[in-house]
Amino acid sequence: MLNYNLVIKNEINQESVSVKEISPVMKINLRGKKREFLTNIGKNLNMILPTEANTSTTSDKLTSIWLSPDEWMIFSNELVNKDTNKYELYEMLFNSISKKNLGAVIDVTDQFVQLEIKGRNIFEIFAAGCPFNFNEFKEKKGSTTQTVLNHIDVILHHKEENVVNLFVRRSFAQHLWDWIEDSSSRL
Amino acid sequence: MARENLTDHLEAKDKTNKIRQRLLKIRAKKVILATGALERPLIFNNNDRPGIMLSSAVKKYSEFYGVACGSKNVFFTNNDSAYESALSLYNKGINVEAIIDIREQSESKIVKKVKEAGIKIYWSHSIVDTTGYKRLNSVSIMKLSNDGTSVTGSKISILCDCLGVAGGWTPAVHLYTQSGSKLKFDDEKKVFLPNQNSSDQISVGSCGGDFKIDEIIKNLSQKLKDNLNIKETDLDNIKVEIDEENSKRNIWLLPTDKPFGKTKPFVDYQNDATAKDIKLALREGFRSIEHVKRYTTTGMGTDQGKIGNMHALGIIADTTGVKMGELGTTTFRPPYTPLTFGTIVGRNVGKFFDIFRRTPMNDWHVKNKAEFENVGQWKRAWYYPIKGETMHQAVQRESKAARESAGILDASTLGKIDIQGSDASEFLNRVYTNAWSKLAIGKCRYGLMLNEDGMVYDDGVTTRLGENHYIMTTTTGGAANVLGKLEDYLQTEWPELDVYLTSVTDHYATVSLCGPNSKKILKKIIPDLDLSNESFPHMSFKEANIGHIQCRIMRISFTGEHSYEINVQASYGKDLWEKCIEAGKEFNITPYGTETMHLLRAEKGFIIVGQDTDGTMTPIDLQMDWIVSKKKYDFIGKRSLYRSDTMREDRKQLVGLLTDDPNTVLEEGAQIVSELNQSPVEMLGHVTSSYFSPNLNKSIALAVVRGGKDMMGKKLFVPMENKNINVTVANPVFYDEKNERLNA
């Protein structure tokens, strides 16, 4: 048996900002253009993939984020079991899509680390290191964007008011965390 | 962009450990610019002595700081502004000796007040000279001719220690033009004013060309109504009476009684550029303001021409007979006010100076005192010194251990690209030089990727996971560029291919086990896995489970030893690494870093793209002809391999080098020559990789040498600063030429 290791060992808990790693969360990258791909996904996930740029859709168990006209990332809303890395949903999608040449299904569970950033000042942190204009983003629950924070690629998902899910590539996560910790102490 | 000062106003003890400034980026739908105007000087002979300053500055020192700039103050003006300053001083009891006005007369109320105060006014006079070394002593004035081009009459000397100069006002249109908007020249007011807006903005007050307060209030109200779509403003009910009038007599360069060549009328006070310099530039043939600026350095000081540029333009216009509006201005570049580098840099200092990436096993490397090297943005374990070892000692120990028993390397940084789609095999055929269609599922193959110019771009092993599913590995530093390039090809050149690329570099941790005991160690970790050469041969892969955790094991080797690369989801990587170390203890498993990896692969003559190649090496130059398919219709770079230049026999080619003295290690980058007494000496090539091999007990090196393929056994020289090193060209594969250790 192999033991699971978090990337981020601590949490930021300040009056106006709190940040913590959410894991393990299953993440799957979906690629496809064909109509059968979309039909198949809809049937298997019981949800419709967002087709409008920078939006997301959510069901009880999953959230899907638009990444490009033929690319989405879906992630589990709840934590998964850390004693196994075999995910039924991934197997099912891989068999019904990848193996049938309808598109591509890729397990990216550990490609990204998910940070939950909460608090009334979270957009101040983004303002300190991100060129994106959050005016419309913060008005709309479920909005998403792919941008850079302190020069590091991130995917942002507006979960609810003053709560943002941030996805960053695992190898950059500790560095970005240090930067967020520094920035949040200087608000 | 704006700078916010947060603590500059505090006392030293209150600013400790506090943020000094912030850089703000502001996005606005509508912009109201109220940036004001800058006072102009007057350009006259010897106008740059201590004590000569702008009239508005004299006023500000007095009103804002409570400082009298002089005890005998004189003002020199072409408009009513100086009268305001003079009255301000007078009301504070500061002596004002006289006002010299180049206008013939002014009947404004403020002038009357100055007259009533008994201050002497010299109408239609100009300053022709000044005296004083460390401070102004006196000014000499003469009567101006009616046309303003000369002076007449006798010279009057006025003793003074401060001269306030008022030459009118220049609207501060910098922010306006920085938004891409255009200016026009107002011939009457002699100012550049906002003309064509590039965005939704208005310029109000003097930056919009309104200098009188009544005019400002009236126009401001109207501009606000139009811009904000409102019917009334609070300004509508304000009525003001003004003291000043708008009369102004504009003379860009004031005359003197001396020959022009003997005068010093400064235009740019910071760079000491004079009107003479500008006229010289014009005589030299420079016409454009941009050229005159660069010839004379006018406007290139820290004020960026805010004080003197209008006069420079005026002098050029007067001298060449061109209208000011046609001359235009130089570009007003940001920032308007100088700011500190600290404001721009922000927190990108210290540990945030650059970004770095960590592998899942990073904490173990740190705990075990690894030295790190930067590879791309990654921090990679370089070597693991124990008991005060030097790098050389550590690398020798690690290398021997890897060949004699077992070594373990963190290979998580290699780029990994998941490739899926019904055209995946065809895609690989097009991007790599060798053939992929017949690679069996479960097998791995090494590939070389070329640029369009036929030069080696990247390399790595790609594994066929399924019928239409591959995983490609790339070099650590090249991963992002390779993915970008391949995605670019898919989107622009080969949109017909059904292929999807996804980076999974960070998803996997990769533990590389190598050495004759690697099989035994792996067997301890996964006892059920059949590791026999028949079931699991070199260049193949197997899926396996460690407990309930799935992993993928490739039997591939970058060291020439019997090796396995175990890929597991990154969150389990550190534990897998520790379990391998634990299982390998009885075999003295030795963690090794990138330096040992480089040495081991050099013993085998394996290239590192970027070290043994430099963007000018074809596969044929690398003596890797075997990897270039002759049968394939096309692949990236194929056509370039058949150019006459890339087919030349005397190109630089990769060879091995052995030093005659086996203990001498060559320096990487050292030049190689065949004749020592030539002048100039002909460089044949250079050393690309060089190490002392503990396994061969001698120095080895890889090098690129012109025509090297045909030089096997030839004696060459590596001239160094203090000695010449004798070397012999050799086969680049120094160790285990028959690859017998792969199955050892």
Side-chain angles (χ1 to χ4, degrees):
Chain A
M1 177 58 71
L2 293 176
N3 294 320
Y4 188 90
N5 272 289
L6 284 167
V7 180
I8 308 300
K9 307 289 187 295
N10 50 348
E11 293 185 6
I12 298 171
N13 280 310
Q14 293 186 0
E15 189 201 338
S16 57
V17 175
S18 63
V19 192
K20 63 178 177 185
E21 179 181 344
I22 308 287
S23 67
V25 169
M26 180 200 63
K27 305 172 199 88
I28 298 170
N29 196 276
L30 296 175
R31 302 290 305 268
K33 302 184 187 94
K34 298 171 185 166
R35 181 179 292 180
E36 301 96 296
F37 164 82
L38 291 167
T39 320
N40 200 302
I41 289 285
K43 215 184 293 170
N44 279 314
L45 297 186
N46 201 20
M47 73 189 292
I48 297 167
L49 293 176
T51 49
E52 191 185 330
N54 294 343
T55 60
S56 64
T57 52
T58 306
S59 69
D60 286 353
K61 292 184 176 170
L62 296 170
T63 299
S64 64
I65 293 178
W66 181 96
L67 295 179
S68 80
D70 66 356
E71 185 172 13
W72 296 263
M73 181 172 78
I74 58 174
F75 63 93
S76 59
N77 294 338
E78 287 167 8
L79 300 185
V80 294
N81 181 3
K82 60 176 70 164
D83 294 333
T84 177
N85 61 348
K86 195 170 180 177
Y87 310 118
E88 274 178 30
L89 181 68
Y90 168 75
E91 301 280 336
M92 182 181 74
L93 289 173
F94 187 82
N95 288 331
S96 61
I97 291 174
S98 291
K99 284 202 171 167
K100 290 183 179 168
N101 290 328
L102 297 181
V105 178
I106 307 103
D107 182 1
V108 289
T109 295
D110 275 356
Q111 175 76 357
F112 298 100
V113 166
Q114 181 180 344
L115 302 179
E116 186 186 74
I117 308 183
K118 251 185 191 171
R120 66 173 192 277
N121 274 350
I122 57 175
F123 291 100
E124 298 286 315
I125 289 182
F126 296 144
C130 178
F132 185 70
N133 183 350
F134 285 94
N135 283 359
E136 289 177 18
F137 180 95
K138 60 182 166 191
E139 296 302 320
K140 201 171 142 195
K141 184 182 160 187
S143 51
T144 68
T145 184
Q146 297 165 82
T147 180
V148 287
L149 184 57
N150 185 36
H151 314 288
I152 297 170
D153 287 342
V154 291
I155 303 169
L156 299 177
H157 168 243
H158 191 197
K159 190 178 172 191
E160 53 195 74
E161 193 179 348
N162 290 339
V163 184
V164 168
N165 284 320
L166 179 153
F167 298 90
V168 58
R169 288 176 70 160
R170 195 181 201 277
S171 57
F172 290 102
Q174 182 67 52
H175 188 84
L176 184 65
W177 174 271
D178 290 344
W179 182 87
I180 292 174
E181 198 171 35
D182 179 73
S183 296
S184 62
S185 71
R186 295 165 63 86
L187 290 175
Chain B
M1 302 283 275
R3 182 194 65 200
E4 181 187 8
N5 288 331
L6 295 167
T7 50
D8 275 357
H9 61 290
L10 300 177
E11 287 183 35
K13 64 178 171 55
D14 297 328
K15 351 182 175 183
T16 314
N17 294 327
K18 286 191 181 154
I19 302 163
R20 184 182 170 201
Q21 295 163 333
R22 266 190 214 284
L23 190 68
L24 301 174
K25 190 173 189 177
I26 301 161
R27 292 188 184 88
K29 286 183 182 163
K30 287 177 185 284
V31 176
I32 299 171
L33 292 174
T35 48
L38 297 153
E39 189 162 39
R40 292 176 188 174
L42 289 166
I43 311 301
F44 53 95
N45 181 30
N46 279 330
N47 59 348
D48 191 17
R49 286 189 200 284
I52 302 179
M53 58 181 77
L54 291 171
S55 146
S56 55
V58 176
K59 184 172 173 244
K60 186 161 187 179
Y61 270 116
S62 145
E63 293 185 348
F64 196 79
Y65 299 103
V67 170
C69 292
S71 54
K72 286 179 279 189
N73 296 286
V74 169
F75 288 92
F76 182 28
T77 187
N78 68 359
N79 67 94
D80 281 351
S81 298
Y83 292 82
E84 203 181 316
S85 302
L87 267 185
S88 170
L89 297 194
Y90 176 80
N91 291 335
K92 288 181 177 57
I94 303 165
N95 178 37
V96 179
E97 293 283 327
I99 295 176
I100 300 138
D101 197 324
I102 66 171
R103 295 176 295 179
E104 285 171 6
Q105 196 58 259
S106 169
E107 295 300 331
S108 65
K109 286 179 186 167
I110 197 163
V111 171
K112 279 180 189 153
K113 283 184 189 170
V114 168
K115 281 181 184 168
E116 283 162 18
I119 297 170
K120 171 88 176 154
I121 302 171
Y122 293 93
W123 294 107
S124 199
H125 272 71
S126 178
I127 295 178
V128 293
D129 203 356
T130 62
T131 62
Y133 172 50
K134 286 190 174 172
R135 132 147 261 178
L136 183 68
N137 288 334
S138 71
V139 297
S140 302
I141 64 170
M142 289 176 78
K143 181 101 179 143
L144 262 177
S145 64
N146 288 341
D147 63 359
T149 57
S150 60
V151 283
T152 56
S154 57
K155 208 184 280 185
I156 304 166
S157 182
I158 304 170
L159 295 178
C160 60
D161 54 6
C162 175
L163 176 68
V165 182
W169 296 85
T170 303
V173 289
H174 304 65
L175 298 189
Y176 178 81
T177 61
Q178 280 161 16
S179 68
S181 304
K182 301 286 178 214
L183 302 171
K184 69 168 182 206
F185 189 72
D186 184 322
D187 275 315
E188 190 190 333
K189 293 179 177 171
K190 301 286 182 200
V191 290
F192 282 99
L193 294 175
N195 186 25
Q196 292 169 3
N197 290 354
S198 66
S199 54
D200 195 353
Q201 59 180 335
I202 49 172
S203 296
V204 301
S206 56
C207 74
D210 300 331
F211 294 102
K212 292 193 295 181
I213 191 72
D214 56 342
E215 193 176 78
I216 289 170
I217 289 171
K218 191 176 118 204
N219 290 339
L220 169 59
S221 179
Q222 192 54 49
K223 282 177 181 174
L224 288 175
K225 285 175 189 168
D226 294 345
N227 190 252
L228 303 176
N229 284 329
I230 49 175
K231 287 187 179 152
E232 54 184 303
T233 72
D234 292 347
L235 300 164
D236 292 341
N237 303 320
I238 297 176
K239 289 206 164 47
V240 288
E241 281 188 23
I242 60 161
D243 281 350
E244 297 172 70
E245 65 170 33
N246 238 355
S247 84
K248 178 180 166 187
R249 184 181 188 188
N250 201 78
I251 301 173
W252 294 116
L253 175 59
L254 290 159
T256 175
D257 56 330
K258 286 186 183 171
F260 183 64
K262 303 275 184 197
T263 62
K264 279 189 178 171
F266 288 94
V267 175
D268 185 314
Y269 298 86
Q270 287 190 324
N271 282 349
D272 281 354
T274 66
K276 280 195 301 185
D277 298 327
I278 292 170
K279 294 204 174 198
L280 173 65
L282 296 172
R283 286 202 301 280
E284 292 282 359
F286 298 102
R287 287 291 180 272
S288 155
I289 177 63
E290 297 286 1
H291 293 152
V292 173
K293 168 185 167 177
R294 280 155 185 82
Y295 185 81
T296 61
T297 72
T298 300
M300 292 165 78
T302 54
D303 80 320
Q304 288 288 287
K306 290 190 190 84
I307 296 173
N309 259 18
M310 284 304 292
H311 293 84
L313 282 170
I315 292 165
I316 295 168
D318 285 353
T319 310
T320 58
V322 177
K323 285 185 175 173
M324 293 267 291
E326 289 169 20
L327 273 177
T329 64
T330 54
T331 308
F332 299 123
R333 290 201 175 83
Y336 176 75
T337 307
L339 72 168
T340 61
F341 278 113
T343 317
I344 302 167
V345 173
R347 296 296 288 162
N348 292 123
V349 292
K351 68 175 177 176
F352 299 118
F353 178 74
D354 200 7
I355 294 162
F356 58 87
R357 305 172 72 176
R358 295 171 168 96
T359 73
M361 292 77 117
N362 184 74
D363 288 352
W364 190 93
H365 305 321
V366 173
K367 197 174 157 194
N368 287 273
K369 304 200 165 43
E371 292 290 330
F372 286 84
E373 76 165 332
N374 297 328
V375 184
Q377 288 178 311
W378 290 93
K379 288 278 175 200
R380 290 199 75 176
W382 194 11
Y383 58 97
Y384 301 82
I386 50 174
K387 293 177 190 160
E389 278 178 330
T390 62
M391 176 166 140
H392 176 74
Q393 289 165 335
V395 170
Q396 298 289 300
R397 172 180 52 77
E398 291 171 11
S399 307
K400 272 185 91 67
R403 292 248 185 260
E404 288 172 3
S405 180
I408 182 168
L409 172 82
D410 180 357
S412 308
T413 61
L414 285 182
K416 294 171 274 288
I417 301 170
D418 181 281
I419 303 172
Q420 293 186 34
S422 52
D423 294 319
S425 302
E426 172 60 15
F427 174 74
L428 289 172
N429 276 333
R430 295 187 192 185
V431 299
Y432 279 129
T433 58
N434 48 350
W436 291 81
S437 306
K438 290 182 182 164
L439 181 70
I441 295 169
K443 300 290 183 192
C444 316
R445 183 167 285 171
Y446 173 78
L448 264 191
M449 200 182 288
L450 309 186
N451 251 332
E452 291 81 352
D453 59 9
M455 305 302 156
V456 172
Y457 178 68
D458 202 80
D459 69 344
V461 170
T462 298
T463 303
R464 190 165 196 173
L465 303 174
E467 178 63 27
N468 297 315
H469 190 189
Y470 293 83
I471 186 155
M472 172 191 280
T473 56
T474 71
T475 56
T476 296
N481 290 338
V482 169
L483 181 63
K485 181 187 169 88
L486 298 184
E487 190 64 49
D488 186 40
Y489 261 96
L490 273 181
Q491 292 187 24
T492 61
E493 304 297 322
W494 309 322
E496 74 282 6
L497 292 187
D498 175 34
V499 175
Y500 294 104
L501 307 175
T502 307
S503 170
V504 286
T505 303
D506 294 54
H507 179 66
Y508 292 105
T510 306
V511 176
S512 176
L513 282 177
C514 89
N517 285 319
S518 57
K519 189 197 274 190
K520 291 176 193 160
I521 296 168
L522 187 60
K523 191 74 187 167
K524 281 178 76 178
I525 295 169
I526 317 176
D528 302 339
L529 195 64
D530 183 354
L531 297 178
S532 65
N533 286 338
E534 296 72 36
S535 165
F536 196 1
H538 181 58
M539 297 308 271
S540 65
F541 100 95
K542 274 183 185 285
E543 300 275 7
N545 285 314
I546 304 176
H548 294 293
I549 306 303
Q550 288 183 319
C551 58
R552 193 179 281 153
I553 304 168
M554 275 82 168
R555 206 183 138 191
I556 51 180
S557 176
F558 192 41
T559 60
E561 295 297 317
H562 191 122
S563 293
Y564 301 94
E565 282 189 4
I566 314 167
N567 291 277
V568 69
Q569 207 172 303
S571 297
Y572 305 96
K574 182 163 172 272
D575 202 47
L576 172 64
W577 176 271
E578 286 169 346
K579 285 201 163 49
C580 288
I581 298 268
E582 186 59 33
K585 261 187 185 165
E586 63 176 292
F587 305 103
N588 188 29
I589 192 169
T590 302
Y592 65 93
T594 49
E595 191 63 21
T596 293
M597 176 186 82
H598 287 186
L599 193 162
L600 295 172
R601 65 85 209 180
E603 289 176 339
K604 287 293 297 172
F606 295 154
I607 60 155
I608 288 184
V609 174
Q611 174 154 345
D612 302 298
T613 70
D614 59 1
T616 66
M617 304 295 289
T618 68
I620 293 89
D621 296 338
L622 294 169
Q623 306 218 41
M624 292 171 76
D625 312 42
W626 53 271
I627 206 169
V628 182
S629 166
K630 306 282 185 298
K631 293 180 187 163
K632 283 202 299 186
Y633 172 71
D634 200 8
F635 56 83
I636 298 172
K638 180 176 181 182
R639 183 174 163 271
S640 298
L641 294 181
Y642 295 94
R643 287 175 63 234
S644 56
D645 187 61
T646 36
M647 290 175 76
R648 273 192 297 117
E649 288 296 315
D650 63 343
R651 288 174 61 82
K652 284 184 183 170
Q653 290 142 358
L654 187 82
V655 294
L657 281 187
L658 291 171
T659 49
D660 288 3
D661 172 4
N663 292 318
T664 303
V665 181
L666 297 170
E667 276 189 31
E668 289 174 359
Q671 293 290 323
I672 299 161
V673 303
S674 60
E675 294 286 335
L676 284 171
N677 299 321
Q678 254 181 354
S679 184
V681 65
E682 189 190 359
M683 304 295 184
L684 292 180
H686 65 276
V687 178
T688 58
S689 298
S690 174
Y691 309 90
F692 185 83
S693 160
N695 301 301
L696 297 160
N697 201 27
K698 65 180 177 185
S699 152
I700 56 165
L702 297 174
V704 289
V705 176
R706 195 172 303 150
K709 262 185 209 173
D710 300 325
M711 285 190 181
M712 207 56 67
K714 189 173 163 85
K715 297 277 184 192
L716 297 173
F717 307 97
V718 176
M720 299 303 291
E721 194 178 0
N722 301 318
K723 60 177 177 181
N724 298 314
I725 302 168
N726 298 328
V727 296
T728 306
V729 178
N731 183 345
V733 184
F734 300 100
Y735 189 78
D736 185 26
E737 203 173 335
K738 292 182 180 166
N739 293 325
E740 287 165 343
R741 298 187 64 84
L742 285 173
N743 292 315

mmCIF file of all heavy atoms in Angstrom, chain B residues 34-48:
data_model
loop_
_atom_site.group_PDB
_atom_site.id
_atom_site.type_symbol
_atom_site.label_atom_id
_atom_site.label_comp_id
_atom_site.label_asym_id
_atom_site.label_seq_id
_atom_site.Cartn_x
_atom_site.Cartn_y
_atom_site.Cartn_z
ATOM 1 N N ALA B 34 -7.952 65.633 -15.238
ATOM 2 C CA ALA B 34 -7.816 66.988 -14.713
ATOM 3 C C ALA B 34 -6.366 67.131 -14.259
ATOM 4 O O ALA B 34 -6.087 67.244 -13.071
ATOM 5 C CB ALA B 34 -8.788 67.206 -13.566
ATOM 6 N N THR B 35 -5.477 67.007 -15.218
ATOM 7 C CA THR B 35 -4.057 66.921 -14.892
ATOM 8 C C THR B 35 -3.367 68.284 -14.824
ATOM 9 O O THR B 35 -2.185 68.369 -14.531
ATOM 10 C CB THR B 35 -3.326 66.045 -15.920
ATOM 11 O OG1 THR B 35 -3.715 66.457 -17.225
ATOM 12 C CG2 THR B 35 -3.683 64.584 -15.733
ATOM 13 N N GLY B 36 -4.120 69.358 -15.120
ATOM 14 C CA GLY B 36 -3.547 70.694 -14.963
ATOM 15 C C GLY B 36 -2.559 71.065 -16.052
ATOM 16 O O GLY B 36 -2.543 70.464 -17.133
ATOM 17 N N ALA B 37 -1.765 72.074 -15.736
ATOM 18 C CA ALA B 37 -0.792 72.575 -16.715
ATOM 19 C C ALA B 37 0.528 72.836 -16.008
ATOM 20 O O ALA B 37 0.574 72.994 -14.791
ATOM 21 C CB ALA B 37 -1.314 73.862 -17.353
ATOM 22 N N LEU B 38 1.582 72.824 -16.806
ATOM 23 C CA LEU B 38 2.918 73.061 -16.261
ATOM 24 C C LEU B 38 3.384 74.443 -16.680
ATOM 25 O O LEU B 38 3.210 74.836 -17.839
ATOM 26 C CB LEU B 38 3.888 72.023 -16.828
ATOM 27 C CG LEU B 38 3.571 70.577 -16.452
ATOM 28 C CD1 LEU B 38 4.109 69.632 -17.504
ATOM 29 C CD2 LEU B 38 4.161 70.257 -15.099
ATOM 30 N N GLU B 39 3.966 75.189 -15.734
ATOM 31 C CA GLU B 39 4.421 76.537 -16.093
ATOM 32 C C GLU B 39 5.660 76.452 -16.984
ATOM 33 O O GLU B 39 6.517 75.586 -16.802
ATOM 34 C CB GLU B 39 4.743 77.359 -14.847
ATOM 35 C CG GLU B 39 4.997 78.815 -15.208
ATOM 36 C CD GLU B 39 4.899 79.742 -14.017
ATOM 37 O OE1 GLU B 39 5.348 79.353 -12.934
ATOM 38 O OE2 GLU B 39 4.372 80.863 -14.205
ATOM 39 N N ARG B 40 5.726 77.347 -17.952
ATOM 40 C CA ARG B 40 6.874 77.390 -18.857
ATOM 41 C C ARG B 40 7.887 78.416 -18.374
ATOM 42 O O ARG B 40 7.503 79.435 -17.794
ATOM 43 C CB ARG B 40 6.434 77.862 -20.254
ATOM 44 C CG ARG B 40 5.572 76.901 -20.978
ATOM 45 C CD ARG B 40 5.150 77.575 -22.281
ATOM 46 N NE ARG B 40 4.150 76.758 -22.939
ATOM 47 C CZ ARG B 40 3.512 77.133 -24.022
ATOM 48 N NH1 ARG B 40 3.750 78.312 -24.574
ATOM 49 N NH2 ARG B 40 2.620 76.353 -24.574
ATOM 50 N N PRO B 41 9.140 78.191 -18.648
ATOM 51 C CA PRO B 41 10.134 79.226 -18.365
ATOM 52 C C PRO B 41 10.182 80.226 -19.533
ATOM 53 O O PRO B 41 9.344 80.156 -20.446
ATOM 54 C CB PRO B 41 11.429 78.427 -18.291
ATOM 55 C CG PRO B 41 11.208 77.288 -19.228
ATOM 56 C CD PRO B 41 9.717 76.993 -19.229
ATOM 57 N N LEU B 42 11.110 81.135 -19.503
ATOM 58 C CA LEU B 42 11.408 81.991 -20.662
ATOM 59 C C LEU B 42 12.858 81.723 -21.036
ATOM 60 O O LEU B 42 13.697 81.456 -20.156
ATOM 61 C CB LEU B 42 11.209 83.464 -20.292
ATOM 62 C CG LEU B 42 9.748 83.882 -20.103
ATOM 63 C CD1 LEU B 42 9.675 85.241 -19.410
ATOM 64 C CD2 LEU B 42 9.014 83.928 -21.444
ATOM 65 N N ILE B 43 13.129 81.777 -22.315
ATOM 66 C CA ILE B 43 14.480 81.418 -22.769
ATOM 67 C C ILE B 43 15.253 82.700 -23.071
ATOM 68 O O ILE B 43 14.962 83.383 -24.052
ATOM 69 C CB ILE B 43 14.421 80.504 -24.009
ATOM 70 C CG1 ILE B 43 13.447 79.337 -23.775
ATOM 71 C CG2 ILE B 43 15.821 79.988 -24.363
ATOM 72 C CD1 ILE B 43 13.764 78.447 -22.597
ATOM 73 N N PHE B 44 16.180 83.021 -22.187
ATOM 74 C CA PHE B 44 16.989 84.232 -22.356
ATOM 75 C C PHE B 44 18.434 83.926 -21.982
ATOM 76 O O PHE B 44 18.740 82.859 -21.436
ATOM 77 C CB PHE B 44 16.419 85.382 -21.501
ATOM 78 C CG PHE B 44 16.222 85.034 -20.059
ATOM 79 C CD1 PHE B 44 17.202 85.330 -19.112
ATOM 80 C CD2 PHE B 44 15.064 84.402 -19.621
ATOM 81 C CE1 PHE B 44 17.028 85.008 -17.781
ATOM 82 C CE2 PHE B 44 14.887 84.066 -18.287
ATOM 83 C CZ PHE B 44 15.856 84.373 -17.363
ATOM 84 N N ASN B 45 19.294 84.860 -22.239
ATOM 85 C CA ASN B 45 20.730 84.638 -22.024
ATOM 86 C C ASN B 45 21.046 84.408 -20.544
ATOM 87 O O ASN B 45 20.589 85.149 -19.686
ATOM 88 C CB ASN B 45 21.497 85.860 -22.550
ATOM 89 C CG ASN B 45 22.999 85.700 -22.391
ATOM 90 O OD1 ASN B 45 23.508 84.567 -22.420
ATOM 91 N ND2 ASN B 45 23.698 86.811 -22.224
ATOM 92 N N ASN B 46 21.822 83.356 -20.267
ATOM 93 C CA ASN B 46 22.234 83.017 -18.896
ATOM 94 C C ASN B 46 21.049 82.821 -17.957
ATOM 95 O O ASN B 46 20.987 83.387 -16.866
ATOM 96 C CB ASN B 46 23.176 84.100 -18.339
ATOM 97 C CG ASN B 46 24.592 83.883 -18.846
ATOM 98 O OD1 ASN B 46 24.994 82.740 -19.097
ATOM 99 N ND2 ASN B 46 25.331 84.974 -19.022
ATOM 100 N N ASN B 47 20.103 81.993 -18.415
ATOM 101 C CA ASN B 47 18.873 81.785 -17.638
ATOM 102 C C ASN B 47 18.973 80.571 -16.704
ATOM 103 O O ASN B 47 17.969 80.074 -16.230
ATOM 104 C CB ASN B 47 17.665 81.628 -18.572
ATOM 105 C CG ASN B 47 17.829 80.458 -19.531
ATOM 106 O OD1 ASN B 47 18.933 79.911 -19.652
ATOM 107 N ND2 ASN B 47 16.763 80.081 -20.200
ATOM 108 N N ASP B 48 20.201 80.056 -16.484
ATOM 109 C CA ASP B 48 20.311 78.848 -15.656
ATOM 110 C C ASP B 48 21.249 79.058 -14.476
ATOM 111 O O ASP B 48 22.177 78.311 -14.269
ATOM 112 C CB ASP B 48 20.779 77.659 -16.538
ATOM 113 C CG ASP B 48 20.648 76.333 -15.803
ATOM 114 O OD1 ASP B 48 19.916 76.284 -14.792
ATOM 115 O OD2 ASP B 48 21.263 75.351 -16.236
#
